[in-house]
Amino acid sequence: MANHGNHSSHAESHGSLKSYVIGFILSIVLTVIPLVLVMNPLFSKTATYITIMIMAILQFVVQLFFFMHIREGEKPRWNVQTLILGLFIVLTIIGGSIWIMAFNV
Amino acid sequence: MWESFLEFCSWFFVTGDPLIYGAMVSIALTMVAIVFVLTKYKKWGWLWREWLTTVDHKKIGIMYLIASLLMLFRGGVDAILMRVQLAFPNLEFLHSDHYNAIFTTHGTIMILFMAMPMMFGLFNMVVPLQLGARDVAFPFLNAVSFWLFMFGAMLFNLSFVIGGSPDAGWLSYPPLSQNEFSPGPGQNFWIWGIQISGIGSLATGINFIVTILKMRAPGMKLMKMPMFSWSVFSSCIMIILAFPILTVTIALLYLDRFAGAHFFTMDGGGNPMMYLNLIWMWGHPEVYIVVVPAFGIFSEVVATFAKKKLFGYKSMVAAVMGIAILSFFTWAHHFFTMGTSASVIAFFAITTMLIAIPTGVKVFNWLFTMYRGKISFKQPMMWTIAFIPCFVVGGATGVMLSVAPADYQYHNSYFLIAHFHQVLIGGVVFGYLAGIYYWWPKLFGFKLDEKLGAWGFWLWNIGFYVCFMPQYALGFMGMTRRYYTYGWDYGWESLNLVSTVGAFLMGAGFVFQVWQILYSIKHGERDTTGDPWNGRTLEWSIPSPAPFYNFAVVPQVKETDDFWRVKEEKANGTYKEEPVHLEPIHMPKNSGLPFIMSVFWFIAGFGFVWEWVWMAAIGMIGVFLTMWARSFQYDTDYYVPVDEVRRTEASLGRVY
Amino acid sequence: MQQVAKNHEHGHAHDHEHGHEEHEQLKVLGFWIFLVTDCILFGTLFATYAVMNHSFAGGPTGAELFALPGVIASTFILLTSSFTSGLAILAMNKGKVKELIGWLIVTALLGLSFIYLEVTEFIHLVHEGATIATSGFWSAFYTLVGTHGLHVSIGLFWMLAIIIQLRRRGLTPVTRRKVTTLSLYWHFLDVVWIFLFTVVYLMGVM
């Protein structure tokens, strides 16, 4: 039954109601801020671009930690490592395309 | 009615070329012969139970191997046809359209439908055995991958008798591949054949990553894993990162053709160069995807046949993993001449040069492994030794191409053609052949005949240099790729003729190899020990051919080359026999769903090719329903009882 | 859990169940890797969108046609559904099947209304004269947003399949794993939408 016990304790670590609610509230806040910034321009265009991108990235982080429980699971965390590698390549694809194509548009 | 039927046929089938009529007749005859044999010997049930529904990685590996050899044959025939056309100036053996179609299908087939499945075949045949696992992580998905590849390849190959072959080059650059210049279904066959098999490749990538990370025998730490498995890991990482880009790119091309979108068009805000940018983001890693496993094979072969531990194991691991990342940063060198900013060109020229470093490290590792080893020159080792100088030259010409200003001279010339054939044949094909010779006994239980193999080997090798060395010179003399003919006044005729002779020599080498396989089925030396080469890794510790569950007892690993350690300890008497305890073995059940699902993909693909929405819809609904059905299957595995394991092992000469 | 306990009475059952659970863990890792490949897929579409950002070819621009109220509504709907799918996981961890199914149904309904809003938006845009064939920009727009919508739609069918299986079989290691992967998928789609919302709509109307 040892296996059994292990499993339920493992299951409980999958976040609590509290962490989900915090995550949800943070997401809403991080959605409302850029919305307000775009509707009522407070900063310059570039500053707004940067701010709303940062908000999006923060929200991604919130989802990862509060909803997708990226901190949990057995080590080594291959899923996290693959994700980091994948995001690195995504940035390369987007950044590289823009850089290369900037000359040709 | 009859009239309109005939009209449909002449539009649907490819007409007007005697070569293609010949091919149609031979395809029809082969199909009839296969159906006849299967019916006469009542083998349909056997075919379905043992092969079409199998989830056994070894059988899937064998099917990949057979399919890839067939594709090698077709791609090779394409190559020979091209070389015949170019043997003499002003030859009218092939007309220009047919020549265009043939170089397109040659390139696409050799990379995507020959190299990829041969590689997946080797993955399947070897990796679980090397890791001490009973199967891959997801056997069902593995079968899905294979059948998707198979039906994708069939869809692609259908194009030359139905609808017309694609003819816009192996990577189908727009605007040539757009409706305006490539009307008709040929280009769609290219898109959907690759799209369907590409989904399978992606799934294989995921499957083997999880297998390698999670299914290794107890004690086999990552840094004790055999080198081939490391190279597979590197290759699979590149697959999962690169193939989604291909999926998107050709889907966008299809949207341009089918829905009138403006991604890569000349008007409407489209930009053909974006296609080049995207396709090479997949295309460059793709060549490393196929070549890195070959490096892994060479590492295994060198260690075994020099009877020494692989020199610089850690640096080798670093090199293959480094290549997996670096390969994503060189893509723009494929289109230096297209025009972009100087900083872009400088960046990509430097990254391209950098990638030669890990490759150089590997060459030295192999050489140092051989140094002072007692080398036995069996077939796998012969191909490995032939590979090293060939690949070094191919790599050096690659560095020449990476020098951007010089590339303006070499670009799209026969110099480039010679370069990439040298790395792809000298690296990939030689490597996979070495691997096939090496692991053949493990899969089939007999060795391939050495003498016929030697004929094949020398014909291939001499043929290779005779064929491709003149092409470097032709490149310098101004001959560019995709010319279907040239005049007497160009001065290219003698080198082209030599090159054609070389192509025929390689073709003869292939014939010898087919003969060798057929001969060895009856007369090949049987492998009764399970360890025909005095191997070092776990796959040689089990009988040949391996039983369906691979390992009766899961091995406990202590070192890299663990089987070698066991053999040494047994020889000097320090080996501690551990009590063997057989347990029921957990195995996946066979399933017909992967096959059925892939048939539906084929139907959908055919519908998309002809832009028959109803047919595409039927196919996609079928795909969806088979996935739905799979989700509701819970009875997917079973246990092999201890008695059966004991009986099977006894029949293979092992007593527990 | 109940299921597991019952099986213990039979000889090897314990080992077998343990094997199952380990295998289910493999599937979760495999699914994570699949999600990474999906990241690359969306990344490529984002790259295309970024390059085609100003390729209007004389046609309508995004700023002219985007109607933010609908998009804001869909954003909050998807965000909430991500939260409710998390609540489904919580219910699963407490072993409450009915509650779990209830939250999954709520999530599915939210997803369905998201799709409804997206289809309405596309119809509106087509009426305004922006189709996939209008310009490079609109091709990239429809492909990017449409691919996300397709993912959500597939997720809805998947959710339906899992709800049926949960009703039939209750909580087993297999159904647990399926709910876990489904919720990962759903959170992932929410993340993709955040970037879509920011890059396509918010930056599009600026």
Side-chain angles (χ1 to χ4, degrees), chain B residues 137-138 206 209 214-215 240-241 244 260-263 268-269 624 628 631 634 637 639, chain C residues 16 23 26 33 37 40 52 55 57 133 135-136 139-140 143 157 165 169 174-175 178:
Chain B
F138 313 119
I206 297 176
I209 288 182
K214 291 286 188 179
M215 311 264 292
I240 63 152
L241 298 177
H262 290 288
F263 290 106
F624 178 79
W628 182 274
S631 178
Y634 274 70
D637 40 13
Y639 281 84
Chain C
H16 292 192
H23 200 242
L26 288 193
I33 299 178
T37 68
I40 309 261
M52 300 272 154
S55 307
S135 65
S139 303
T143 314
F157 281 105
Q165 288 169 36
R169 296 173 178 272
V174 180
T175 51
K178 287 188 178 184

mmCIF file of all heavy atoms in Angstrom, chain B residues 137-138 206 209 214-215 240-241 244 260-263 268-269 624 628 631 634 637 639, chain C residues 16 23 26 33 37 40 52 55 57 133 135-136 139-140 143 157 165 169 174-175 178:
data_model
loop_
_atom_site.group_PDB
_atom_site.id
_atom_site.type_symbol
_atom_site.label_atom_id
_atom_site.label_comp_id
_atom_site.label_asym_id
_atom_site.label_seq_id
_atom_site.Cartn_x
_atom_site.Cartn_y
_atom_site.Cartn_z
ATOM 1 N N ALA B 137 8.305 3.977 -25.762
ATOM 2 C CA ALA B 137 7.401 4.493 -24.739
ATOM 3 C C ALA B 137 5.947 4.365 -25.183
ATOM 4 O O ALA B 137 5.077 4.012 -24.392
ATOM 5 C CB ALA B 137 7.737 5.948 -24.428
ATOM 6 N N PHE B 138 5.677 4.657 -26.458
ATOM 7 C CA PHE B 138 4.294 4.637 -26.943
ATOM 8 C C PHE B 138 4.200 3.761 -28.185
ATOM 9 O O PHE B 138 4.246 4.267 -29.315
ATOM 10 C CB PHE B 138 3.816 6.054 -27.254
ATOM 11 C CG PHE B 138 4.123 7.047 -26.164
ATOM 12 C CD1 PHE B 138 4.934 8.143 -26.414
ATOM 13 C CD2 PHE B 138 3.618 6.874 -24.888
ATOM 14 C CE1 PHE B 138 5.235 9.049 -25.408
ATOM 15 C CE2 PHE B 138 3.916 7.778 -23.881
ATOM 16 C CZ PHE B 138 4.720 8.859 -24.139
ATOM 17 N N ILE B 206 8.781 12.610 -30.625
ATOM 18 C CA ILE B 206 8.302 12.647 -29.241
ATOM 19 C C ILE B 206 8.497 11.278 -28.597
ATOM 20 O O ILE B 206 9.000 11.154 -27.476
ATOM 21 C CB ILE B 206 6.813 13.043 -29.196
ATOM 22 C CG1 ILE B 206 6.632 14.455 -29.749
ATOM 23 C CG2 ILE B 206 6.266 12.940 -27.777
ATOM 24 C CD1 ILE B 206 5.200 14.897 -29.842
ATOM 25 N N ILE B 209 12.150 10.473 -27.710
ATOM 26 C CA ILE B 209 12.667 11.294 -26.610
ATOM 27 C C ILE B 209 12.208 10.709 -25.282
ATOM 28 O O ILE B 209 13.000 10.498 -24.360
ATOM 29 C CB ILE B 209 12.206 12.758 -26.746
ATOM 30 C CG1 ILE B 209 12.941 13.420 -27.900
ATOM 31 C CG2 ILE B 209 12.462 13.531 -25.453
ATOM 32 C CD1 ILE B 209 12.594 14.862 -28.092
ATOM 33 N N LYS B 214 13.056 7.940 -20.303
ATOM 34 C CA LYS B 214 12.340 7.237 -19.241
ATOM 35 C C LYS B 214 12.436 5.721 -19.282
ATOM 36 O O LYS B 214 12.036 5.071 -18.321
ATOM 37 C CB LYS B 214 10.847 7.616 -19.331
ATOM 38 C CG LYS B 214 10.572 9.055 -18.959
ATOM 39 C CD LYS B 214 10.693 9.235 -17.473
ATOM 40 C CE LYS B 214 10.234 10.613 -17.062
ATOM 41 N NZ LYS B 214 10.318 10.794 -15.626
ATOM 42 N N MET B 215 12.891 5.127 -20.347
ATOM 43 C CA MET B 215 12.796 3.670 -20.448
ATOM 44 C C MET B 215 14.152 2.978 -20.363
ATOM 45 O O MET B 215 14.257 1.808 -20.699
ATOM 46 C CB MET B 215 12.110 3.277 -21.760
ATOM 47 C CG MET B 215 10.832 4.016 -22.027
ATOM 48 S SD MET B 215 9.384 3.100 -21.502
ATOM 49 C CE MET B 215 9.379 1.753 -22.644
ATOM 50 N N ILE B 240 11.525 17.412 -33.087
ATOM 51 C CA ILE B 240 10.366 18.060 -32.450
ATOM 52 C C ILE B 240 10.441 19.573 -32.568
ATOM 53 O O ILE B 240 9.422 20.242 -32.569
ATOM 54 C CB ILE B 240 10.181 17.648 -30.971
ATOM 55 C CG1 ILE B 240 11.382 18.083 -30.144
ATOM 56 C CG2 ILE B 240 9.923 16.167 -30.829
ATOM 57 C CD1 ILE B 240 11.012 18.331 -28.715
ATOM 58 N N LEU B 241 11.638 20.115 -32.714
ATOM 59 C CA LEU B 241 11.730 21.574 -32.827
ATOM 60 C C LEU B 241 11.585 22.041 -34.266
ATOM 61 O O LEU B 241 11.149 23.158 -34.519
ATOM 62 C CB LEU B 241 13.057 22.069 -32.243
ATOM 63 C CG LEU B 241 13.268 21.788 -30.754
ATOM 64 C CD1 LEU B 241 14.644 22.248 -30.314
ATOM 65 C CD2 LEU B 241 12.198 22.437 -29.907
ATOM 66 N N PRO B 244 7.457 21.054 -36.725
ATOM 67 C CA PRO B 244 6.284 21.934 -36.733
ATOM 68 C C PRO B 244 6.449 23.105 -37.708
ATOM 69 O O PRO B 244 5.472 23.568 -38.294
ATOM 70 C CB PRO B 244 6.202 22.432 -35.292
ATOM 71 C CG PRO B 244 6.909 21.413 -34.494
ATOM 72 C CD PRO B 244 7.999 20.880 -35.368
ATOM 73 N N GLY B 260 -6.465 30.879 -52.063
ATOM 74 C CA GLY B 260 -6.110 32.186 -52.609
ATOM 75 C C GLY B 260 -5.480 33.118 -51.596
ATOM 76 O O GLY B 260 -5.556 34.342 -51.733
ATOM 77 N N ALA B 261 -4.879 32.559 -50.546
ATOM 78 C CA ALA B 261 -4.224 33.410 -49.557
ATOM 79 C C ALA B 261 -2.978 34.060 -50.182
ATOM 80 O O ALA B 261 -2.563 33.710 -51.282
ATOM 81 C CB ALA B 261 -3.831 32.586 -48.342
ATOM 82 N N HIS B 262 -2.417 35.023 -49.463
ATOM 83 C CA HIS B 262 -1.273 35.767 -50.000
ATOM 84 C C HIS B 262 -0.071 35.714 -49.084
ATOM 85 O O HIS B 262 0.459 36.736 -48.678
ATOM 86 C CB HIS B 262 -1.668 37.221 -50.241
ATOM 87 C CG HIS B 262 -2.619 37.381 -51.372
ATOM 88 N ND1 HIS B 262 -2.239 37.218 -52.678
ATOM 89 C CD2 HIS B 262 -3.938 37.636 -51.385
ATOM 90 C CE1 HIS B 262 -3.294 37.388 -53.450
ATOM 91 N NE2 HIS B 262 -4.343 37.644 -52.697
ATOM 92 N N PHE B 263 0.347 34.498 -48.737
ATOM 93 C CA PHE B 263 1.558 34.408 -47.929
ATOM 94 C C PHE B 263 2.807 34.585 -48.789
ATOM 95 O O PHE B 263 3.675 35.392 -48.501
ATOM 96 C CB PHE B 263 1.621 33.049 -47.214
ATOM 97 C CG PHE B 263 0.602 32.901 -46.142
ATOM 98 C CD1 PHE B 263 -0.504 32.095 -46.333
ATOM 99 C CD2 PHE B 263 0.736 33.595 -44.954
ATOM 100 C CE1 PHE B 263 -1.455 31.970 -45.345
ATOM 101 C CE2 PHE B 263 -0.217 33.473 -43.958
ATOM 102 C CZ PHE B 263 -1.314 32.657 -44.158
ATOM 103 N N GLY B 268 -0.692 41.034 -53.716
ATOM 104 C CA GLY B 268 -1.523 40.972 -52.506
ATOM 105 C C GLY B 268 -0.747 41.017 -51.206
ATOM 106 O O GLY B 268 -1.227 40.554 -50.176
ATOM 107 N N GLY B 269 0.459 41.547 -51.250
ATOM 108 C CA GLY B 269 1.227 41.677 -50.007
ATOM 109 C C GLY B 269 1.975 40.416 -49.608
ATOM 110 O O GLY B 269 2.545 40.347 -48.527
ATOM 111 N N PHE B 624 -10.858 11.481 -37.462
ATOM 112 C CA PHE B 624 -11.414 11.901 -36.181
ATOM 113 C C PHE B 624 -12.072 10.714 -35.463
ATOM 114 O O PHE B 624 -11.856 10.497 -34.272
ATOM 115 C CB PHE B 624 -12.420 13.028 -36.416
ATOM 116 C CG PHE B 624 -13.084 13.489 -35.182
ATOM 117 C CD1 PHE B 624 -12.428 14.343 -34.313
ATOM 118 C CD2 PHE B 624 -14.353 13.046 -34.865
ATOM 119 C CE1 PHE B 624 -13.026 14.748 -33.148
ATOM 120 C CE2 PHE B 624 -14.961 13.452 -33.702
ATOM 121 C CZ PHE B 624 -14.297 14.311 -32.836
ATOM 122 N N TRP B 628 -11.228 9.027 -31.886
ATOM 123 C CA TRP B 628 -12.281 8.914 -30.877
ATOM 124 C C TRP B 628 -12.346 7.471 -30.378
ATOM 125 O O TRP B 628 -12.377 7.206 -29.171
ATOM 126 C CB TRP B 628 -13.601 9.353 -31.502
ATOM 127 C CG TRP B 628 -14.760 9.331 -30.568
ATOM 128 C CD1 TRP B 628 -15.558 8.262 -30.286
ATOM 129 C CD2 TRP B 628 -15.259 10.414 -29.780
ATOM 130 N NE1 TRP B 628 -16.519 8.619 -29.380
ATOM 131 C CE2 TRP B 628 -16.373 9.927 -29.047
ATOM 132 C CE3 TRP B 628 -14.873 11.751 -29.615
ATOM 133 C CZ2 TRP B 628 -17.099 10.732 -28.175
ATOM 134 C CZ3 TRP B 628 -15.612 12.553 -28.757
ATOM 135 C CH2 TRP B 628 -16.706 12.045 -28.041
ATOM 136 N N SER B 631 -9.583 6.624 -28.076
ATOM 137 C CA SER B 631 -9.716 7.208 -26.751
ATOM 138 C C SER B 631 -10.568 6.315 -25.853
ATOM 139 O O SER B 631 -10.376 6.265 -24.648
ATOM 140 C CB SER B 631 -10.333 8.603 -26.859
ATOM 141 O OG SER B 631 -10.506 9.167 -25.603
ATOM 142 N N TYR B 634 -9.725 0.790 -23.605
ATOM 143 C CA TYR B 634 -8.995 0.691 -22.349
ATOM 144 C C TYR B 634 -8.209 -0.605 -22.247
ATOM 145 O O TYR B 634 -7.282 -0.734 -21.490
ATOM 146 C CB TYR B 634 -9.955 0.828 -21.173
ATOM 147 C CG TYR B 634 -10.191 2.274 -20.812
ATOM 148 C CD1 TYR B 634 -10.921 3.110 -21.653
ATOM 149 C CD2 TYR B 634 -9.637 2.811 -19.671
ATOM 150 C CE1 TYR B 634 -11.117 4.435 -21.341
ATOM 151 C CE2 TYR B 634 -9.830 4.141 -19.350
ATOM 152 C CZ TYR B 634 -10.564 4.955 -20.194
ATOM 153 O OH TYR B 634 -10.743 6.275 -19.881
ATOM 154 N N ASP B 637 -3.396 -3.542 -23.287
ATOM 155 C CA ASP B 637 -2.141 -4.243 -23.008
ATOM 156 C C ASP B 637 -2.424 -5.562 -22.303
ATOM 157 O O ASP B 637 -3.556 -5.836 -21.892
ATOM 158 C CB ASP B 637 -1.198 -3.371 -22.186
ATOM 159 C CG ASP B 637 -1.941 -2.600 -21.122
ATOM 160 O OD1 ASP B 637 -3.114 -2.925 -20.856
ATOM 161 O OD2 ASP B 637 -1.357 -1.673 -20.550
ATOM 162 N N TYR B 639 -0.321 -9.251 -20.216
ATOM 163 C CA TYR B 639 0.898 -9.771 -19.599
ATOM 164 C C TYR B 639 1.274 -11.099 -20.220
ATOM 165 O O TYR B 639 0.427 -11.964 -20.405
ATOM 166 C CB TYR B 639 0.700 -9.943 -18.082
ATOM 167 C CG TYR B 639 0.837 -8.629 -17.371
ATOM 168 C CD1 TYR B 639 -0.243 -7.756 -17.270
ATOM 169 C CD2 TYR B 639 2.067 -8.233 -16.857
ATOM 170 C CE1 TYR B 639 -0.105 -6.534 -16.650
ATOM 171 C CE2 TYR B 639 2.205 -7.007 -16.241
ATOM 172 C CZ TYR B 639 1.132 -6.158 -16.132
ATOM 173 O OH TYR B 639 1.263 -4.942 -15.524
ATOM 174 N N HIS C 16 0.997 -4.576 -11.295
ATOM 175 C CA HIS C 16 0.399 -4.150 -12.556
ATOM 176 C C HIS C 16 -0.064 -2.708 -12.473
ATOM 177 O O HIS C 16 0.221 -1.907 -13.335
ATOM 178 C CB HIS C 16 -0.774 -5.056 -12.911
ATOM 179 C CG HIS C 16 -0.324 -6.443 -13.250
ATOM 180 N ND1 HIS C 16 -1.155 -7.359 -13.834
ATOM 181 C CD2 HIS C 16 0.870 -7.043 -13.107
ATOM 182 C CE1 HIS C 16 -0.475 -8.487 -14.001
ATOM 183 N NE2 HIS C 16 0.747 -8.319 -13.572
ATOM 184 N N HIS C 23 3.394 4.219 -16.418
ATOM 185 C CA HIS C 23 3.174 4.440 -17.835
ATOM 186 C C HIS C 23 2.346 5.686 -18.085
ATOM 187 O O HIS C 23 2.564 6.423 -19.035
ATOM 188 C CB HIS C 23 2.524 3.207 -18.466
ATOM 189 C CG HIS C 23 2.710 3.187 -19.940
ATOM 190 N ND1 HIS C 23 1.665 3.234 -20.825
ATOM 191 C CD2 HIS C 23 3.829 3.178 -20.679
ATOM 192 C CE1 HIS C 23 2.145 3.249 -22.048
ATOM 193 N NE2 HIS C 23 3.448 3.208 -22.002
ATOM 194 N N LEU C 26 4.577 8.555 -18.117
ATOM 195 C CA LEU C 26 5.251 8.711 -19.409
ATOM 196 C C LEU C 26 4.377 9.496 -20.365
ATOM 197 O O LEU C 26 4.845 10.358 -21.111
ATOM 198 C CB LEU C 26 5.518 7.342 -20.046
ATOM 199 C CG LEU C 26 6.577 6.435 -19.479
ATOM 200 C CD1 LEU C 26 6.867 5.322 -20.459
ATOM 201 C CD2 LEU C 26 7.835 7.231 -19.229
ATOM 202 N N ILE C 33 5.801 17.318 -24.205
ATOM 203 C CA ILE C 33 6.669 17.528 -25.370
ATOM 204 C C ILE C 33 5.817 17.882 -26.588
ATOM 205 O O ILE C 33 6.178 18.750 -27.378
ATOM 206 C CB ILE C 33 7.543 16.289 -25.615
ATOM 207 C CG1 ILE C 33 8.433 16.047 -24.388
ATOM 208 C CG2 ILE C 33 8.411 16.468 -26.850
ATOM 209 C CD1 ILE C 33 9.292 14.827 -24.485
ATOM 210 N N THR C 37 5.998 21.192 -29.124
ATOM 211 C CA THR C 37 5.958 21.246 -30.591
ATOM 212 C C THR C 37 4.835 22.172 -31.041
ATOM 213 O O THR C 37 4.963 22.869 -32.042
ATOM 214 C CB THR C 37 5.740 19.849 -31.210
ATOM 215 O OG1 THR C 37 4.435 19.384 -30.908
ATOM 216 C CG2 THR C 37 6.759 18.860 -30.746
ATOM 217 N N ILE C 40 6.008 25.651 -31.009
ATOM 218 C CA ILE C 40 6.779 25.983 -32.209
ATOM 219 C C ILE C 40 5.833 26.270 -33.366
ATOM 220 O O ILE C 40 6.038 27.213 -34.138
ATOM 221 C CB ILE C 40 7.715 24.813 -32.593
ATOM 222 C CG1 ILE C 40 8.531 24.378 -31.408
ATOM 223 C CG2 ILE C 40 8.563 25.184 -33.801
ATOM 224 C CD1 ILE C 40 9.896 24.877 -31.308
ATOM 225 N N MET C 52 4.063 39.755 -41.914
ATOM 226 C CA MET C 52 2.973 40.221 -42.790
ATOM 227 C C MET C 52 2.197 41.384 -42.158
ATOM 228 O O MET C 52 1.149 41.783 -42.669
ATOM 229 C CB MET C 52 1.987 39.064 -43.030
ATOM 230 C CG MET C 52 2.578 37.852 -43.678
ATOM 231 S SD MET C 52 2.499 38.007 -45.443
ATOM 232 C CE MET C 52 3.833 36.973 -45.957
ATOM 233 N N SER C 55 1.318 44.130 -44.522
ATOM 234 C CA SER C 55 1.047 43.791 -45.921
ATOM 235 C C SER C 55 -0.445 43.877 -46.218
ATOM 236 O O SER C 55 -1.109 42.866 -46.421
ATOM 237 C CB SER C 55 1.554 42.375 -46.219
ATOM 238 O OG SER C 55 2.897 42.261 -45.839
ATOM 239 N N ALA C 57 -1.786 45.531 -48.778
ATOM 240 C CA ALA C 57 -1.987 45.552 -50.228
ATOM 241 C C ALA C 57 -3.170 46.441 -50.617
ATOM 242 O O ALA C 57 -3.988 46.097 -51.461
ATOM 243 C CB ALA C 57 -2.187 44.129 -50.747
ATOM 244 N N ALA C 133 -8.231 35.866 -48.667
ATOM 245 C CA ALA C 133 -7.599 36.179 -49.948
ATOM 246 C C ALA C 133 -7.432 37.680 -50.160
ATOM 247 O O ALA C 133 -7.005 38.117 -51.220
ATOM 248 C CB ALA C 133 -8.403 35.559 -51.090
ATOM 249 N N SER C 135 -5.464 40.033 -48.479
ATOM 250 C CA SER C 135 -4.081 40.518 -48.472
ATOM 251 C C SER C 135 -3.250 39.612 -47.580
ATOM 252 O O SER C 135 -3.801 38.776 -46.850
ATOM 253 C CB SER C 135 -4.023 41.956 -47.937
ATOM 254 O OG SER C 135 -4.413 41.961 -46.580
ATOM 255 N N GLY C 136 -1.942 39.797 -47.659
ATOM 256 C CA GLY C 136 -1.049 39.010 -46.819
ATOM 257 C C GLY C 136 -1.399 39.138 -45.348
ATOM 258 O O GLY C 136 -1.389 38.163 -44.609
ATOM 259 N N SER C 139 -4.480 37.053 -44.599
ATOM 260 C CA SER C 139 -4.146 35.623 -44.667
ATOM 261 C C SER C 139 -3.505 35.194 -43.362
ATOM 262 O O SER C 139 -3.870 34.169 -42.775
ATOM 263 C CB SER C 139 -3.166 35.347 -45.817
ATOM 264 O OG SER C 139 -3.687 35.770 -47.041
ATOM 265 N N ALA C 140 -2.529 35.994 -42.907
ATOM 266 C CA ALA C 140 -1.813 35.643 -41.683
ATOM 267 C C ALA C 140 -2.746 35.706 -40.486
ATOM 268 O O ALA C 140 -2.703 34.852 -39.593
ATOM 269 C CB ALA C 140 -0.625 36.574 -41.478
ATOM 270 N N THR C 143 -5.186 32.679 -40.482
ATOM 271 C CA THR C 143 -4.503 31.419 -40.210
ATOM 272 C C THR C 143 -4.106 31.322 -38.742
ATOM 273 O O THR C 143 -4.331 30.296 -38.102
ATOM 274 C CB THR C 143 -3.246 31.305 -41.086
ATOM 275 O OG1 THR C 143 -3.610 31.682 -42.413
ATOM 276 C CG2 THR C 143 -2.737 29.891 -41.104
ATOM 277 N N PHE C 157 -14.186 18.556 -28.321
ATOM 278 C CA PHE C 157 -14.545 17.160 -28.595
ATOM 279 C C PHE C 157 -13.833 16.223 -27.621
ATOM 280 O O PHE C 157 -14.407 15.262 -27.123
ATOM 281 C CB PHE C 157 -14.174 16.784 -30.033
ATOM 282 C CG PHE C 157 -15.164 17.296 -31.033
ATOM 283 C CD1 PHE C 157 -14.853 18.386 -31.839
ATOM 284 C CD2 PHE C 157 -16.408 16.688 -31.169
ATOM 285 C CE1 PHE C 157 -15.766 18.863 -32.757
ATOM 286 C CE2 PHE C 157 -17.325 17.162 -32.087
ATOM 287 C CZ PHE C 157 -17.003 18.255 -32.882
ATOM 288 N N GLN C 165 -16.159 9.119 -20.646
ATOM 289 C CA GLN C 165 -15.354 8.065 -20.025
ATOM 290 C C GLN C 165 -15.381 8.160 -18.498
ATOM 291 O O GLN C 165 -15.383 7.138 -17.807
ATOM 292 C CB GLN C 165 -13.917 8.148 -20.535
ATOM 293 C CG GLN C 165 -13.808 7.698 -21.982
ATOM 294 C CD GLN C 165 -12.464 8.010 -22.593
ATOM 295 O OE1 GLN C 165 -11.437 7.934 -21.932
ATOM 296 N NE2 GLN C 165 -12.461 8.378 -23.866
ATOM 297 N N ARG C 169 -16.428 5.101 -16.206
ATOM 298 C CA ARG C 169 -15.370 4.379 -15.500
ATOM 299 C C ARG C 169 -14.959 4.995 -14.180
ATOM 300 O O ARG C 169 -14.195 4.394 -13.433
ATOM 301 C CB ARG C 169 -14.127 4.301 -16.391
ATOM 302 C CG ARG C 169 -14.374 3.505 -17.615
ATOM 303 C CD ARG C 169 -13.225 3.553 -18.569
ATOM 304 N NE ARG C 169 -13.555 2.717 -19.701
ATOM 305 C CZ ARG C 169 -13.308 1.417 -19.747
ATOM 306 N NH1 ARG C 169 -12.717 0.824 -18.758
ATOM 307 N NH2 ARG C 169 -13.659 0.708 -20.804
ATOM 308 N N VAL C 174 -5.869 5.850 -15.519
ATOM 309 C CA VAL C 174 -5.952 6.272 -16.921
ATOM 310 C C VAL C 174 -6.814 7.515 -17.066
ATOM 311 O O VAL C 174 -6.418 8.492 -17.708
ATOM 312 C CB VAL C 174 -6.490 5.114 -17.794
ATOM 313 C CG1 VAL C 174 -6.587 5.554 -19.244
ATOM 314 C CG2 VAL C 174 -5.580 3.901 -17.674
ATOM 315 N N THR C 175 -8.013 7.518 -16.469
ATOM 316 C CA THR C 175 -8.852 8.707 -16.634
ATOM 317 C C THR C 175 -8.229 9.920 -15.940
ATOM 318 O O THR C 175 -8.334 11.034 -16.431
ATOM 319 C CB THR C 175 -10.277 8.480 -16.089
ATOM 320 O OG1 THR C 175 -10.188 7.960 -14.774
ATOM 321 C CG2 THR C 175 -11.050 7.512 -16.953
ATOM 322 N N LYS C 178 -5.817 11.339 -18.250
ATOM 323 C CA LYS C 178 -6.473 12.029 -19.367
ATOM 324 C C LYS C 178 -6.954 13.414 -18.943
ATOM 325 O O LYS C 178 -6.802 14.385 -19.680
ATOM 326 C CB LYS C 178 -7.635 11.189 -19.880
ATOM 327 C CG LYS C 178 -7.158 9.972 -20.650
ATOM 328 C CD LYS C 178 -8.289 9.246 -21.319
ATOM 329 C CE LYS C 178 -7.712 8.077 -22.116
ATOM 330 N NZ LYS C 178 -8.726 7.373 -22.883
#
